Amino acid sequence: MTSPALWSAQAHMPSVIGRQINVVSAEGAYLTTDTGARLFDGTASLWYANIGHGREEMAQVAYEQMKTLEVYHVFGRYTNNRAIELAEKLVSIAPINDAKVILNSGGSDSIDAALKLARRYWNHVGRTSKKVIISREGSYHGLHAYGTSIAGLDFNREGYGTDSLVDGTERVGMHDAAAFAATIERLGAESIAAYIAEPILGTGGVHPPQDGYFEEIQRLCRENDILFIADEVITGFGRTGEMFASSRYKLQPDIIAFAKGVTSGYAALGGLLVAPRIWHPFFEQGADSPIYRHGTTYSGHPVTAALALKNLEILEREGLVARSSELEQVLARELKAIESHAFVAATRVGGFLGAIELSSDVSAEFVTDQVIEQGFITRPLRGNAVQISPPFITTDQEVRDLVGAVRAVLDAAQARTSKARATA
């Protein structure tokens, strides 16, 4: 078989060639492939298709903006109305008071920008030894150089010749505030620039925070003058039943990284919400203010910004953040019911995203492949877990049907295993 020209993301290419699922259209919560198969999007693509696919008004917004101003950069003195409008809107809903907004092209961009900003801030205020970035085991922060360096998933870090592509990174246990305290003691607070965490670990297996964890982390950050960065690339814009997980979990970050749900995937957009402590020296010191040398070619892209504004309008107009909260309860009930299955080790829910952690009797890769045959898309995650995070327009019945499809696959796998053991 001839190899395809496209080198797919995060793919073992010999394993996917000949098995690739070619999506040709989408509407609502469903995709259609080139074979005519209709598949329920149980992961909202990569966690982001929150308002659903194929909305005509989103296409119309892009068309109208392209007729007016299709693109221009926001470097230096230049800006555009849509980028300004989006920044003002984001500030109005941000869980950081008096925030400033940096726009870029996606989540990995946002992580690089956030961690560079943390080090740039400390360097400017004269505390040049504060360089180390601390992250959590099991975490995922994109695949740019900085995101790769702080990743808590070893398979995303390996093979580059060094333990960390960017020097000065440390990892601590997923729920272990004591390990964070011990790391501060070992390294010294004057060497640590920032601590970064996903409020809910996503790709690492959907792990919500344990009670008291972030309260202790934030106390340690305050007492040791360490910046706290919330990676809300997955959780931002309604996925946890509030606009930001920082609000739900009472976090007070210095920087929030966002992407995905800001446009529901209708365009590539990410960015940062930056607290006054961090932005003030770059705005308010006149000739002595430094320049933060950030920026991507499509920062503040007017079409992308227009789509984000319309997406946020739809979320509010249709009450989809509240609907996400309702769907969380449906998902929690369905996952609780499947916990009794012999092949299920545990289930987890945090907002309208969940995971079914499987026993060693069956692999998540096998289950997700089999569920596709029943018309549902799920995704294998770290820890032999199955991801569930559909769009916010999903019905209660579709949640039940999705979890039911997973149960059916597990039942069939259990029956085969029992039969094999009986005949052994």
Side-chain angles (χ1 to χ4, degrees):
M1 182 178 294
T2 302
S3 297
L6 178 65
W7 192 338
S8 298
Q10 290 283 68
H12 179 250
M13 291 306 298
S15 298
V16 301
I17 293 171
R19 300 176 59 244
Q20 289 164 306
I21 298 168
N22 184 6
V23 178
V24 296
S25 65
E27 183 177 3
Y30 290 86
L31 312 173
T32 302
T33 73
D34 60 352
T35 65
R38 186 170 183 260
L39 303 175
F40 178 76
D41 188 2
T43 62
S45 190
L46 290 176
W47 318 86
Y48 57 68
N50 296 342
I51 64 171
H53 301 280
R55 290 208 179 222
E56 180 69 27
E57 62 183 311
M58 293 292 279
Q60 190 64 36
V61 161
Y63 170 70
E64 294 296 336
Q65 183 59 48
M66 285 181 182
K67 289 198 302 180
T68 304
L69 175 66
E70 85 293 358
V71 68
Y72 211 74
H73 67 82
V74 295
F75 282 44
R77 294 176 61 194
Y78 292 90
T79 187
N80 65 74
N81 287 345
R82 294 289 80 77
I84 292 170
E85 187 180 353
L86 175 58
E88 295 295 336
K89 176 62 178 177
L90 291 171
V91 166
S92 75
I93 62 175
I96 296 175
N97 291 331
D98 195 23
K100 299 295 185 189
V101 178
I102 292 173
L103 297 174
N104 54 47
S105 302
S108 293
D109 287 351
S110 299
I111 297 302
D112 263 30
L115 301 187
K116 286 170 58 181
L117 178 57
R119 289 184 60 167
R120 183 70 180 92
Y121 167 78
W122 288 121
N123 189 271
H124 173 66
V125 300
R127 299 172 69 178
T128 57
S129 63
K130 291 179 78 66
K131 300 175 183 177
V132 175
I133 308 297
I134 297 178
S135 56
R136 296 200 284 171
E137 296 288 349
S139 64
Y140 177 81
H141 301 285
L143 294 173
H144 286 359
Y146 235 137
T148 298
S149 299
I150 64 170
L153 300 170
D154 287 338
F155 52 76
N156 282 332
R157 301 168 59 95
E158 295 167 347
Y160 299 105
T162 57
D163 178 61
S164 183
L165 288 175
V166 179
D167 289 338
T169 65
E170 292 272 339
R171 291 175 289 171
V172 296
M174 182 188 302
H175 300 301
D176 195 346
F180 181 43
T183 301
I184 296 171
E185 179 70 21
R186 175 171 57 86
L187 298 178
E190 275 306 308
S191 71
I192 302 171
Y195 164 91
I196 182 169
E198 303 162 89
I200 298 172
L201 270 80
T203 303
V206 183
H207 292 272
Q210 293 183 350
D211 289 345
Y213 173 76
F214 277 123
E215 288 86 345
E216 180 64 7
I217 290 294
Q218 291 185 113
R219 181 188 69 80
L220 289 165
C221 285
R222 287 192 301 270
E223 291 181 358
N224 292 281
D225 217 5
I226 296 168
L227 301 182
F228 176 46
I229 302 172
D231 179 350
E232 292 232 36
V233 170
I234 288 174
T235 55
F237 306 100
R239 181 54 68 177
T240 65
E242 296 200 30
M243 192 60 79
F244 291 90
S246 291
S247 299
R248 173 166 178 163
Y249 296 117
K250 298 179 173 56
L251 308 183
Q252 296 178 311
D254 298 289
I255 301 172
I256 292 174
F258 65 85
K260 295 188 185 293
V262 69
T263 65
S264 286
Y266 280 81
L269 174 63
L272 304 179
L273 298 167
V274 183
R277 173 187 182 178
I278 310 303
W279 65 252
H280 188 272
F282 297 89
F283 279 72
E284 304 293 346
Q285 293 183 351
D288 293 328
S289 288
I291 296 174
Y292 175 44
R293 298 288 182 180
H294 74 90
T296 55
T297 296
Y298 301 117
S299 302
H301 192 290
V303 176
T304 300
L307 286 164
L309 286 162
K310 179 57 69 172
N311 173 67
L312 295 174
E313 176 192 316
I314 290 169
L315 288 174
E316 293 175 356
R317 185 181 75 218
E318 298 185 7
L320 291 179
V321 176
R323 177 59 181 155
S324 172
S325 182
E326 294 171 357
L327 286 163
E328 174 184 359
Q329 303 309 311
V330 178
L331 179 60
R333 288 194 296 271
E334 295 303 308
L335 294 191
K336 185 67 175 176
I338 204 175
E339 278 188 344
S340 60
H341 197 286
F343 281 9
V344 173
T347 66
R348 292 180 290 274
V349 177
F352 190 38
L353 65 161
I356 302 171
E357 183 179 328
L358 303 173
S359 72
S360 60
D361 297 288
V362 63
S363 75
E365 289 79 4
F366 171 81
V367 171
T368 55
D369 281 348
Q370 293 300 305
V371 168
I372 287 174
E373 299 304 314
Q374 297 197 38
F376 296 89
I377 294 175
T378 54
R379 190 163 164 255
L381 299 177
R382 172 187 177 269
N384 203 30
V386 175
Q387 173 189 338
I388 297 177
S389 58
F392 301 165
I393 60 167
T394 298
T395 67
D396 293 8
Q397 188 59 48
E398 285 166 337
V399 174
R400 290 191 284 268
D401 290 344
L402 172 55
V403 178
V406 174
R407 180 186 286 276
V409 169
L410 295 179
D411 286 345
Q414 184 181 15
R416 284 193 298 272
T417 299
S418 298
K419 182 178 180 180
R421 289 171 178 168
T423 57

